[in-house]
């Protein structure tokens, strides 16, 4: 990846609905050239998917510390909740990090489920700064 690829990625992150021509004008390339670079970034697995971000008034970052190595059953239990936006198995302080958007009542139900597997920390996002 070179500097032009980085510029394209930054523009896609800011406003993915730009046409290739509009993006090309911003970074001084042809729309066709931008399109080819985006295709290359997809082929190289730098871009995995295109998506939208839905504004959630309530968003949580939940860290889970499993008591036992019950990974598969834990993962199935978590994926049953549609409020889970992102779900990662991680190394470091916790076993899993979950990004979710729960209303209070549903969050209580979720906590009841994860409590069966181990300890947890729930952090509520107050403001998105970027």
């Amino acid at each position: 990846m070179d500097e032009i690829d980085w510029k394209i990625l930054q523009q896609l992150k800011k406003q993915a609905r730009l046409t290739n021509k509009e993006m090309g004008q911003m970074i001084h390339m042809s729309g066709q050239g931008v399109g080819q670079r985006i295709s290359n970034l997809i082929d190289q697995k730098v871009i995995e998917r295109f998506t939208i971000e839905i504004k959630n008034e309530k968003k949580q970052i939940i860290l889970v510390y499993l008591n036992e190595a019950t990974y598969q059953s834990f993962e199935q239990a978590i994926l049953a909740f549609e409020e889970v936006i992102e779900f990662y198995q991680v190394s470091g302080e916790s076993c899993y990090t979950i990004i979710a958007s729960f209303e209070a009542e549903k969050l209580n139900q979720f906590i009841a489920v994860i409590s069966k597997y181990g300890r947890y920390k729930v952090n509520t996002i107050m403001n998105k700064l970027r």
Side-chain angles (χ1 to χ4, degrees):
M1 270 190 4
D2 62 13
E3 185 177 334
I4 294 172
D5 289 337
W6 279 110
K7 286 180 182 179
I8 290 170
L9 290 173
Q10 293 306 311
Q11 290 302 321
L12 285 171
K13 284 171 51 176
K14 288 179 189 175
Q15 191 176 12
R17 292 187 67 179
L18 289 173
T19 65
N20 292 346
K21 181 179 179 180
E22 291 169 329
M23 192 178 311
Q25 290 171 344
M26 298 171 88
I27 63 171
H28 310 292
M29 283 188 73
S30 69
Q32 186 177 8
V34 169
Q36 183 59 50
R37 284 191 174 250
I38 290 172
S39 293
N40 290 342
L41 291 168
I42 292 168
D43 291 344
Q44 295 168 12
K45 306 281 190 234
V46 174
I47 297 174
E48 292 183 349
R49 62 188 172 118
F50 293 90
T51 186
I52 62 169
E53 183 174 331
I54 299 171
K55 183 178 179 184
N56 296 304
E57 293 299 321
K58 295 178 174 48
K59 197 181 246 185
Q60 301 87 22
I61 299 173
I62 304 164
L63 305 178
V64 181
Y65 313 83
L66 296 183
N67 291 335
E68 299 175 13
T70 54
Y71 304 112
Q72 189 174 15
S73 62
F74 175 75
E75 291 169 6
Q76 289 174 346
I78 298 312
L79 293 173
F81 288 87
E82 63 185 33
E83 293 85 357
V84 172
I85 299 168
E86 296 178 52
F87 182 32
Y88 302 98
Q89 186 176 34
V90 297
S91 64
E93 183 182 343
S94 63
C95 300
Y96 289 92
T97 298
I98 302 164
I99 312 293
S101 180
F102 286 104
E103 294 295 329
E105 183 178 324
K106 194 75 177 218
L107 179 59
N108 289 334
Q109 294 171 11
F110 183 75
I111 288 172
V113 169
I114 64 175
S115 295
K116 296 173 186 173
Y117 293 93
R119 299 176 302 111
Y120 62 88
K121 289 182 185 178
V122 176
N123 297 297
T124 300
I125 297 174
M126 303 300 289
N127 279 318
K128 182 175 179 178
L129 301 176
R130 186 169 189 191

